[in-house]
Amino acid sequence: MTSHRTEPGTGPTSLTGFTARGLLAAYEKGEVSPVEATRAVLERAEAVQGTLNCFVRTAREDALAQAAASEERWRRKEPRGLLDGVPVTVKDLLLTAGMPTLRGSRAVAESAGWAEDAPSVAGLREHGAVLIGKTTTPEFGWKGVTDSPRHGVTRNPYDPSRTAGGSSGGSAAAVAAGAGPLSVGTDGGGSVRIPASFCGVFGMKPTYGRIPLYPSSPFGTLAHAGPIARDPADAALMLDVMAGEADWRDWSQSAPDDGTRAGLFDGVRGLRVAYSPTLGGQVKVAPDVAAAVRGAVQCLAELGAYVEEADPDFADPVESFHTLWFSGAARVVQGFGRAQREALDPGLREICGIGARYSALDYLAAVDARMALGRRMGRFHTVYDLLVTPTLPVTAFAAGVETPGGAGSGTRRWTGWTPFTYPFNLTQQPAATVPCGTDREGLPVGVQLVAARHRDGLVLRAAEALYGAGVRGPAHPTG
């Protein structure tokens, strides 16, 4: 493994280790060109693909053409937007003009017309980002690990025998491995935060509606788009790009605002922080994970936050989440014929069968429980600015399986080991994972930061304070 550097400077530096902001600074000074950076990222993507399987496809010629156009704009001192020339990857659930969006499924025809960008992708393109390729997802993004009948198993850059997490596993693995400093993922129950935690990178689920979505997710208002990056400042930049414009295709989008970067470096002094290590004793957390998260919480206190151990005091909402999630999955395949259903991931086929048996009253009861949880968390945040928890109770386990052996809450489903993530999809709150150390095997651990709805900037500010204080994961396996 070569040394990891994230900013330009003296000495030997791999372009695959730069942050987006580092690349932009180097472009401005003429030290690096977008073509050089794009070529390096493409070479890195090709080098890791055989081991990690994090890409569905790369678009080498088109990416180099985009980079050449960016290089010319930088030569003229006329960069376009906030990410001109920065290599970016896109999860293969999001429409990307010129590239098929196969969603990990054999049921999706590659020959369909692919002429439209999802709103987040359109924002990246408008700001000059170079679109490198599409990253892997489980079939229709249904679970918290990344493997699919169509594209196989995606693996963890720190140990390829382990899972990268999911459902944005390809995106997180690509960023960690140096195949682009930024990736856009989606998160319906933890699908940005889970793989970001397992892969030792920063991932954020913003407030629902901040980043417009199109087509609408079959999982409804559980689903968010969000940035995956090497640090919070890059994620804030990317978030502002993806959320910067109104898009009429998403009727539920929040009103665009002035962005999240203002106050990013203001620190946490005076913030009221609740630390809930086990959600009131409901979650069994691995000792190495608990220790790393406790260290991050102590750092917040040392930085001037008022920290106390306090729980939001809600019962595990997994049954309500399952009702909404399984119903959404059933909706995905409602029009499928017998052959298409038989070709599905067996676990997806099983939950679709469950979801199809729920009644409208079952669904509305789950909505009622969701609204009650939202009110409870709203009240909680009148007392506390931030809630801090482990992102996950475990580190990355074996690749190719849905659950770690013997872990979780007794369920066979991925929700059994993700009890810290899906509640905040139900409540639509901003939540992020920050790398905060490793377990005894060198696998990354993440700490989760949660704030009240629409306080995305506060989550990023606290994350940046931790990052600036040296709370990070292991060196990225780039180079």
Side-chain angles (χ1 to χ4, degrees):
M1 183 183 300
T2 61
S3 63
H4 171 69
R5 293 178 59 91
T6 57
E7 301 292 350
T10 59
T13 301
S14 167
L15 288 176
T16 61
F18 275 53
T19 61
R21 295 170 353 275
L23 286 175
L24 292 167
Y27 296 161
E28 186 173 19
K29 295 174 184 176
E31 297 173 345
V32 174
S33 79
V35 171
E36 290 172 330
T38 298
R39 187 174 289 117
V41 166
L42 286 165
E43 289 173 357
R44 181 64 178 164
E46 292 164 4
V48 302
Q49 176 63 9
T51 301
L52 303 182
N53 188 34
C54 50
F55 284 93
V56 172
R57 69 185 63 244
T58 54
R60 184 179 185 85
E61 296 307 316
D62 189 48
L64 288 171
Q66 294 173 52
S70 172
E71 186 170 302
E72 176 59 22
R73 291 192 293 271
W74 280 105
R75 188 191 65 78
R76 298 195 311 263
K77 308 293 185 185
E78 297 175 355
R80 185 178 77 197
L82 298 175
L83 290 174
D84 202 349
V86 175
V88 178
T89 58
V90 178
K91 183 180 182 180
D92 199 39
L93 291 183
L94 294 163
L95 292 178
T96 307
M99 284 186 268
T101 300
L102 303 177
R103 301 176 175 88
S105 180
R106 294 173 180 150
V108 178
E110 190 167 351
S111 59
W114 305 103
E116 194 170 19
D117 282 329
S120 54
V121 179
L124 293 167
R125 203 186 294 274
E126 179 66 24
H127 280 261
V130 175
L131 302 182
I132 296 295
K134 305 298 287 290
T135 57
T136 50
T137 175
E139 193 165 18
F140 299 109
W142 80 270
K143 60 183 174 180
V145 293
T146 299
D147 58 73
S148 71
R150 184 158 195 162
H151 297 121
V153 178
T154 297
R155 299 177 180 275
N156 193 300
Y158 290 93
D159 179 351
S161 72
R162 309 297 183 104
T163 180
S167 64
S168 305
S171 289
V175 171
L182 303 175
S183 191
V184 53
T186 63
D187 189 316
S191 289
V192 162
R193 291 160 289 156
I194 294 165
S197 181
F198 277 179
C199 292
V201 293
F202 180 83
M204 182 173 179
K205 177 190 76 67
T207 301
Y208 177 80
R210 189 178 188 96
I211 298 174
L213 281 175
Y214 172 82
S216 299
S217 171
F219 301 107
T221 58
L222 295 172
H224 308 55
I228 297 175
R230 290 208 185 95
D231 65 33
D234 265 16
L237 179 63
M238 188 183 185
L239 175 56
D240 285 352
V241 164
M242 295 191 293
E245 299 292 337
D247 193 303
W248 59 266
R249 295 174 295 175
D250 184 355
W251 62 270
S252 63
Q253 180 187 6
S254 302
D257 58 28
D258 294 332
T260 56
R261 286 171 293 150
L264 181 64
F265 301 101
D266 286 354
V268 296
R269 184 168 298 279
L271 293 183
R272 301 161 299 171
V273 175
Y275 167 42
S276 180
T278 62
L279 291 180
Q282 296 184 83
V283 185
K284 183 178 180 180
V285 178
D288 290 356
V289 173
V293 172
R294 196 178 306 114
V297 172
Q298 180 60 36
C299 182
L300 289 172
E302 292 169 356
L303 292 170
Y306 298 111
V307 178
E308 65 178 291
E309 192 165 320
D311 298 308
D313 192 27
F314 58 75
D316 185 355
V318 67
E319 293 306 322
S320 296
F321 180 81
H322 279 171
T323 300
L324 300 172
W325 192 255
F326 294 178
S327 296
R331 176 62 175 163
V332 170
V333 305
Q334 188 173 22
F336 285 11
R338 181 175 179 179
Q340 288 175 302
R341 288 176 179 268
E342 289 178 349
L344 292 173
D345 179 326
L348 175 59
R349 188 166 60 244
E350 181 179 334
I351 71 163
C352 288
I354 297 170
R357 294 193 290 272
Y358 289 129
S359 69
L361 289 178
D362 293 331
Y363 192 93
L364 290 173
V367 171
D368 286 344
R370 179 185 191 180
M371 290 190 291
L373 179 61
R375 287 192 298 273
R376 180 177 292 275
M377 287 308 302
R379 186 183 310 115
F380 184 82
H381 284 291
T382 64
V383 178
Y384 298 103
D385 297 302
L386 289 169
L387 170 65
V388 180
T389 74
T391 305
L392 298 164
V394 295
T395 52
F397 49 87
V401 296
E402 187 181 343
T403 61
S409 60
T411 178
R412 295 186 300 112
R413 297 274 75 99
W414 61 273
T415 43
W417 53 270
T418 61
F420 294 110
T421 59
Y422 57 77
F424 305 110
N425 292 82
L426 289 166
T427 62
Q428 302 187 340
Q429 294 172 247
T433 182
V434 181
C436 65
T438 63
D439 69 4
R440 67 193 64 193
E441 296 180 90
L443 296 169
V445 174
V447 58
Q448 180 174 235
L449 308 177
V450 184
R453 291 174 74 242
H454 308 298
R455 300 206 71 188
D456 304 64
L458 184 59
V459 170
L460 285 159
R461 176 178 147 198
E464 177 57 36
L466 285 173
Y467 192 87
V471 175
R472 308 182 188 188
H476 295 302
T478 60

